[in-house]
Amino acid sequence: MSSWKRQAHLWHRWLGIVFGLLVLLWFGSGVVMMYVPYPALTEAERMAWLAPLAAPQVRVTAWDAWRAADRPGMPAAVRLNQVAGRPAYHFQADGRWWSVWADSGQPLRMTAALAADSARNAAPGARRLSAELIDIDQWTFGRVQEHKPLYRVSADDAAGSVLYVSSRTGELVRDTTRSERAWNWAGSVIHWIYFTPLREHGQPWRQVVMWTSASALLLALLGMVLGILRLRVRRRYAGGRCSPYRGWQAWHHWLGLSIGTLMLTWLFSGWLSVTPFGWLASPGVTAEDRQAFAGGALSREDLAAPVDGIVRAHPGLLELEWRRIGGQLNFSLLDRGRRQLLLPVSTERLQQAMRALRPGVPVTFVSLTSEDDYHYSHHQQAVLPVVRAQFDLADDTTFYIDPLQGDIVGYADRNSKWNRWLFNGLHQLDFASPLRARPVWDVVVIVLCGLGFVATLAGVVLGWRRLARRS
């Protein structure tokens, strides 16, 4: 055997011994994640938690509440909803939230008892709720950073609910059940290496994911090269066999050749998920984009606008959000059915707001009532209809705006478009809606994951047998 082949065999063997079990778990955990994602508070769950606003309780304006919050400048976002039976204004400023009671004008001060009372709507079957203040635990990664520390509220209901309430706004920001938490240990925690001592440190966690997936990719690549080199179609091995192997070795060889290309694409796209070395990084929708679309920051006059009449005119209103579009104040209303603007926005004003996203750049507007390649949702309902604003720029900047909500709901540029095909396409087999349709997608992905699992299992068995013999 030549020197480079021997080195390739040794690298493949030892990479398999070190990382083979992790790749095996990635295949299994990927199937679990198809049905049980990492805990998150969905819009439907949040709507079920919210209680209708009571107009007589709204006694102070948002401007008076903002002055009571004693923060400089103007807030980036404002919303009004019920917290533990009382209306409260929530202001976003400097990446944090500040809340003030709308009935008294006093700053909201959270306690464990108030957090338990706030979470009660999310666990109606519970007789007892107990709350404790935490900074982080296994289920509080992701989009809850600006609400930390959190109150973790444990319920004694049948589902074993554990609910997370913001210490800054008193709002429910995440919910979990006993079953969801248990399945996630076999799903997201393993697949993303989401162990709290590591995940709470962002960059070290990212480096671990990047280098483990890169090592697994090298493992699979070497296996494919060696598998092809050991294959004989013309000058066959004894007994007319194309492979020299038997038993677990034969399973590993043939399955590796059969599904090896797909394993490479899965590992490569998984490696891309943490944007290694900044490759294909995209800024997404920035705070500057949102302010440009709004036509400037909220003003004192915007916050001083009376809203009790709006609440009174819309029975069952769950939440009111201040929203500027092209320099004009509007309000977003949320009820049990949907979220929509108080006043419809004209096409001219909407286009004016969209042009402000990239001033002076030619732009093409297209109204979409169905998904396109870059505005869609993987097995969920995408926001539709939308207006697509595609700017004539080198990076092909594109925004998607919901005209009913007056909000930017999507973004794409050259890097994110590449990432859509190289990650969503290769990693989730999400190339087009026919393949995404269920149960076709489920069957295809489970079968392929099963083949990858067996191929990897055979390699793990062989590696550990070799290690046992050396011992």
Side-chain angles (χ1 to χ4, degrees):
M1 182 184 294
S2 63
S3 175
W4 77 267
K5 286 184 181 179
R6 176 171 175 76
Q7 289 298 317
H9 272 282
L10 289 173
W11 274 96
H12 182 65
R13 177 186 302 158
W14 285 104
L15 285 172
I17 290 171
V18 175
F19 296 103
L21 181 60
L22 181 60
V23 176
L24 186 72
L25 293 173
W26 278 342
F27 279 113
S29 59
V31 173
V32 174
M33 289 176 64
M34 291 168 61
Y35 304 100
V36 188
Y38 186 76
L41 187 70
T42 66
E43 182 75 349
E45 290 169 337
R46 186 169 183 271
M47 287 165 59
W49 167 77
L50 284 168
L53 282 162
Q57 289 183 302
V58 181
R59 301 190 184 100
V60 300
T61 66
W63 171 247
D64 291 330
W66 175 241
R67 287 195 300 169
D70 195 25
R71 305 302 305 167
M74 297 299 294
V78 183
R79 62 173 182 262
L80 170 68
N81 58 32
Q82 292 282 122
V83 173
R86 296 174 62 185
Y89 290 106
H90 309 294
F91 303 99
Q92 187 182 43
D94 300 323
R96 304 299 296 272
W97 286 95
W98 313 86
S99 297
V100 175
W101 294 115
D103 53 3
S104 66
Q106 297 297 312
L108 188 153
R109 309 293 184 196
M110 282 302 296
T111 64
L114 187 57
D117 195 23
S118 177
R120 189 166 299 280
N121 284 355
R127 292 172 297 177
R128 187 174 63 86
L129 299 171
S130 58
E132 60 176 326
L133 190 65
I134 66 164
D135 186 62
I136 194 170
D137 74 0
Q138 186 64 53
W139 316 114
T140 55
F141 298 114
R143 299 179 180 178
V144 295
Q145 301 297 319
E146 57 194 7
H147 292 281
K148 290 183 176 180
L150 301 171
Y151 279 97
R152 180 170 57 198
V153 182
S154 301
D156 63 352
D157 59 355
S161 300
V162 175
L163 312 164
Y164 296 88
V165 173
S166 169
S167 67
R168 308 190 67 83
T169 68
E171 297 172 292
L172 182 72
V173 294
R174 180 150 297 173
D175 62 340
T176 70
T177 63
R178 183 187 300 110
S179 173
E180 188 177 34
R181 295 190 299 273
W183 278 110
N184 261 272
W185 283 107
S188 301
V189 176
I190 289 174
H191 202 81
W192 293 338
I193 317 181
Y194 250 25
F195 299 98
T196 304
L198 175 63
R199 183 61 186 92
E200 65 178 320
H201 304 289
Q203 276 305 312
W205 167 79
R206 181 175 169 273
Q207 292 295 321
V208 167
V209 174
M210 184 171 74
W211 290 108
T212 53
S213 55
S215 300
L217 178 62
L218 178 59
L219 163 67
L221 180 62
L222 290 172
M224 278 291 289
V225 171
L226 294 171
I228 292 171
L229 290 175
R230 297 296 284 168
L231 189 66
R232 289 186 184 178
V233 178
R234 294 182 179 178
R235 296 175 56 252
R236 300 196 174 192
Y237 296 99
R241 292 179 293 111
C242 296
S243 171
Y245 303 116
R246 299 179 184 274
W248 280 107
Q249 288 180 312
W251 278 100
H252 188 59
H253 190 200
W254 286 115
L255 282 175
L257 288 173
S258 301
I259 200 175
T261 301
L262 189 61
M263 291 176 70
L264 285 172
T265 61
W266 267 340
L267 292 168
F268 172 71
S269 55
W271 178 68
L272 283 181
S273 68
V274 291
T275 57
F277 313 112
W279 190 41
L280 297 185
S282 175
V285 181
T286 65
E288 290 75 17
D289 291 332
R290 295 198 180 279
Q291 187 159 117
F293 180 77
L298 288 164
S299 67
R300 173 177 177 171
E301 290 72 24
D302 294 335
L303 298 189
V307 297
D308 55 327
I310 299 174
V311 177
R312 191 176 296 109
H314 295 82
L317 181 64
L318 302 177
E319 187 171 70
L320 190 67
E321 184 177 338
W322 276 243
R323 187 159 292 173
R324 283 171 61 94
I325 303 165
Q328 186 178 69
L329 177 65
N330 209 321
F331 292 94
S332 173
L333 281 61
L334 175 67
D335 58 25
R336 298 289 182 202
R338 60 179 177 173
R339 187 186 291 275
Q340 63 180 348
L341 289 173
L342 174 65
L343 302 173
V345 181
S346 67
T347 301
E348 293 75 15
R349 181 166 293 278
L350 194 64
Q351 291 186 356
Q352 172 193 337
M354 288 187 282
R355 285 193 177 93
L357 289 165
R358 296 295 184 272
V361 178
V363 58
T364 302
F365 300 114
V366 177
S367 295
L368 300 178
T369 56
S370 59
E371 301 173 343
D372 68 6
D373 286 336
Y374 306 105
H375 179 72
Y376 69 99
S377 183
H378 187 69
H379 298 145
Q380 295 179 6
Q381 183 63 46
V383 176
L384 290 169
V386 293
V387 177
R388 183 176 66 201
Q390 188 165 358
F391 291 88
D392 186 13
L393 291 168
D395 67 352
D396 200 23
T397 297
T398 304
F399 290 90
Y400 295 86
I401 287 81
D402 179 357
L404 300 180
Q405 296 186 33
D407 194 19
I408 304 172
V409 294
Y411 171 87
D413 59 17
R414 179 183 296 168
N415 281 354
S416 68
K417 289 178 179 181
W418 272 106
N419 195 60
R420 181 262 180 272
W421 298 112
L422 293 177
F423 177 72
N424 299 74
L426 295 178
H427 206 71
Q428 300 176 325
L429 298 187
D430 198 349
F431 291 104
S433 54
L435 184 58
R436 198 159 59 234
R438 311 190 92 155
V440 174
W441 180 79
D442 299 70
V443 172
V444 171
V445 174
I446 289 174
V447 168
L448 293 175
C449 280
L451 292 173
F453 186 91
V454 175
T456 308
L457 176 62
V460 169
V461 170
L462 294 172
W464 283 93
R465 281 181 177 177
R466 175 60 67 97
L467 194 63
R469 287 199 296 270
R470 289 175 63 91
S471 299

